[in-house]
Amino acid sequence: MTREPKPVGAEQFLPPGSKSLSALRQAAADCQGCPLYEAASQTVFGAGPAKARLMLIGETPGDYEDRAGEPFVGPAGRVLDRVLDDVGLARDELYLTNAVKHFKFVQRGKRRLHKTPSQLESAACAPWWRAELAAVQPELLVCLGAVAAKAVLGTSFRVTKQHGQLLDPPDPLPPNMRIVATIHPSAVLRAEDRDTVYKGFREDLLVARKALDG
Ligand code: URA
Ligand code: SF4
């Protein structure tokens, strides 16, 4: 097995002054913190209001997001829209981002097939979502899928065992928020029994909705 060289990381690409969302977004456009920027079209930064009470973190942009430059605008985004609507959360009131900000894929003819980012790439990109978290200061952070959950809660975290629990943030995340981990919306699309998987997803997001309701 070839060992992956450690990426330089996003830290040095953070803006030197203001860490506002717009300053971060502008700086992230030029990030070369890991090799993923080379093949992707653009950085897909987070989107949503600067003072959202709820922040959602996904995995990595897909083919649609890479072209559009916006998170969750493809098929996974439609599953997400459905579940948000089902539990009574408004998408335009939450801040939506990804653990890794460039699309990772393998080219197969004309198609670009999603690849899961490595833990090294996830770690390299973490300064961006950490800075988004510091700027937005949400009351609740929802991790969508294992890549986001491991980035936020540590690599030993298991979504299959710990989904839907209201968790306290590990150091050095802001202590005054809570975290809920759940599956990635694309897991619903991949599932044989979509209804059952979707129901579990909805239950986890209901935990998030209720936490926000107090
Ligand atoms: N999957 C993700 O994790 N994020 C997106 O933005 C799109 C699909
Ligand atoms: Fe930078 Fe993240 Fe893109 Fe890698 S994936 S180049 S760390 S923004």
Side-chain angles (χ1 to χ4, degrees), residues 83-105:
V83 81
L84 291 174
D85 194 50
D86 261 3
V87 303
L89 289 166
R91 174 159 168 163
D92 61 0
E93 287 174 15
L94 52 87
Y95 188 84
L96 196 49
T97 194
N98 284 302
V100 173
K101 307 262 189 291
H102 275 105
F103 179 34
K104 183 173 184 180
F105 61 93

Side-chain angles (χ1 to χ4, degrees), residues 65-141:
E65 290 78 16
D66 176 76
R67 295 169 202 271
E70 294 284 326
F72 287 103
V73 293
R78 280 192 287 282
V79 177
L80 186 62
D81 285 344
R82 178 181 165 203
V83 81
L84 291 174
D85 194 50
D86 261 3
V87 303
L89 289 166
R91 174 159 168 163
D92 61 0
E93 287 174 15
L94 52 87
Y95 188 84
L96 196 49
T97 194
N98 284 302
V100 173
K101 307 262 189 291
H102 275 105
F103 179 34
K104 183 173 184 180
F105 61 93
V106 279
Q107 192 82 42
R108 286 280 177 273
K110 285 193 177 155
R111 297 181 64 205
R112 304 189 300 170
L113 303 182
H114 162 273
K115 276 192 84 180
T116 305
S118 70
Q119 251 158 48
L120 286 177
E121 288 152 355
S122 180
C125 210
W128 293 120
W129 65 257
R130 288 184 191 277
E132 289 173 291
L133 197 59
V136 176
Q137 294 186 276
E139 291 165 45
L140 187 70
L141 175 64

Side-chain angles (χ1 to χ4, degrees), residues 13-61:
F13 298 94
L14 291 178
S18 163
K19 305 282 189 285
S20 69
L21 286 177
S22 57
L24 292 168
R25 180 177 290 110
Q26 214 176 351
D30 296 322
C31 184
Q32 302 187 353
C34 80
L36 293 183
Y37 76 91
E38 290 171 27
S41 317
Q42 58 187 318
T43 307
V44 179
F45 204 68
K51 287 292 163 233
R53 295 178 62 206
L54 173 60
M55 177 164 152
L56 262 60
I57 179 165
E59 185 198 277
T60 173

